[in-house]
Amino acid sequence: KDMFTAGSDGTILKWDMTKEVKTPVVVHSHGFINRSIDITPDEKWLVSCGDVNYLQLFDVTQENPQPIQ
């Protein structure tokens, strides 16, 4: 299972919770504060939102996910 975190620096991280040593992988980084993230029950889609009136959707099953346009 994976866990996702988002920081005030705009970085969204993915953590593989099955590994003994947990090293984060950057999913996306943009410069805007992330206020909230959520993941779909099937763990395919992640949505993030912040202060600048945006929503971003990511397919986190991809190796290097980019926001869906």
Side-chain angles (χ1 to χ4, degrees):
K1 293 281 186 182
D2 294 323
M3 180 177 74
F4 295 87
T5 59
S8 61
D9 64 350
T11 302
I12 299 170
L13 301 174
K14 177 180 177 179
W15 303 77
D16 183 343
M17 301 308 288
T18 64
K19 294 184 179 176
E20 188 171 326
V21 176
K22 293 166 180 63
T23 304
V25 174
V26 175
V27 172
H28 190 71
S29 184
H30 51 71
F32 304 113
I33 295 172
N34 289 302
R35 291 293 178 188
S36 182
I37 59 172
D38 202 0
I39 188 87
T40 57
D42 62 3
E43 297 186 359
K44 179 176 179 168
W45 300 101
L46 180 137
V47 64
S48 71
C49 64
D51 286 344
V52 291
N53 297 326
Y54 71 89
L55 289 173
Q56 290 186 306
L57 183 66
F58 301 89
D59 178 350
V60 292
T61 63
Q62 301 296 312
E63 186 70 29
N64 185 21
Q66 296 298 311
I68 304 298
Q69 299 293 327

